[in-house]
Amino acid sequence: MREIGKPHPRLPLPAEGQEDDPQRFLAWLGEAIPMVEHLGIREMRRDGQRLVWQLALTPSLNDKGTGFGGALTAQATLLGWCWTTLWLRRRGLARDVVVAEASQRFLAPVTGDYRFECEPEAEVGPENLALQLAQKGRGRITLVQRLWCGEVLCLEARSNYAVLAASS
């Protein structure tokens, strides 16, 4: 059980040249952030620079029987945090990541199970983040998260994530 004010132990970094096992990462995430087990995440996979979640709608239903905006916003924020954390881990970096800014546009009701996709807003975003980390020891990246019900775009979010300097 998590304790308030006490950080959860980090997941050990994958071996050099290896990627995180998505199921292992999601299991750790559910321990580190207790609400994760209630989000309905069925699958997580990487597709190039894009991180994709498949989700069940049922845990995020609102009183109208569609997706609850607060739950969807939390998912968008967490998906971007995961994108940034996994990007760092692939580079052998265990660093703290925080969301600095976030905005959402709700475009259509979420009426069934859905997928959330996250990718850098700019193609050069990851390269710029790597440069910032090398030069200043910290950096930022802007990501875009899109929620799709089939072929219908229901939500688009933009979030800026800060990678904090390594603690000494």
Side-chain angles (χ1 to χ4, degrees), residues 10-100:
R10 291 185 192 271
L11 181 65
L13 290 170
E16 189 173 333
Q18 298 292 311
E19 297 237 357
D20 277 292
D21 170 50
Q23 294 309 324
R24 183 173 179 230
F25 182 81
L26 282 175
W28 171 83
L29 191 63
E31 294 169 3
I33 303 173
M35 75 176 230
V36 167
E37 69 182 52
H38 304 287
L39 296 180
I41 303 168
R42 292 182 170 170
E43 177 190 351
M44 178 177 79
R45 64 181 163 77
R46 204 165 70 90
D47 180 12
Q49 287 286 1
R50 185 176 296 145
L51 184 62
V52 180
W53 281 355
Q54 297 288 337
L55 296 107
L57 176 58
T58 305
S60 299
L61 284 173
N62 64 18
D63 59 316
K64 296 160 205 60
T66 60
F68 173 58
L72 304 176
T73 298
Q75 291 167 357
T77 302
L78 183 60
L79 179 58
W81 182 91
C82 288
W83 187 99
T84 307
T85 298
L86 290 166
W87 182 89
L88 290 163
R89 291 174 58 77
R90 283 194 305 278
R91 283 147 188 83
L93 300 171
R95 302 288 284 281
D96 286 329
V97 175
V98 297
V99 62

Side-chain angles (χ1 to χ4, degrees), residues 86-165:
L86 290 166
W87 182 89
L88 290 163
R89 291 174 58 77
R90 283 194 305 278
R91 283 147 188 83
L93 300 171
R95 302 288 284 281
D96 286 329
V97 175
V98 297
V99 62
E101 291 181 56
S103 64
Q104 307 80 35
R105 288 182 334 142
F106 295 89
L107 306 168
V110 179
T111 57
D113 294 349
Y114 53 99
R115 76 180 183 280
F116 238 131
E117 301 176 352
C118 179
E119 62 190 339
E121 180 179 57
E123 191 174 317
V124 296
E127 182 181 318
N128 289 344
L129 178 57
L131 186 62
Q132 292 169 28
L133 291 171
Q135 291 177 344
K136 299 187 276 186
R138 56 186 165 75
R140 286 186 178 224
I141 188 166
T142 300
L143 302 172
V144 176
Q145 300 92 352
R146 292 182 181 93
L147 184 157
W148 298 88
C149 279
E151 298 305 314
V152 176
L153 179 61
C154 298
L155 180 151
E156 185 171 67
R158 280 187 171 60
S159 306
N160 185 275
Y161 293 85
V163 178
L164 305 181

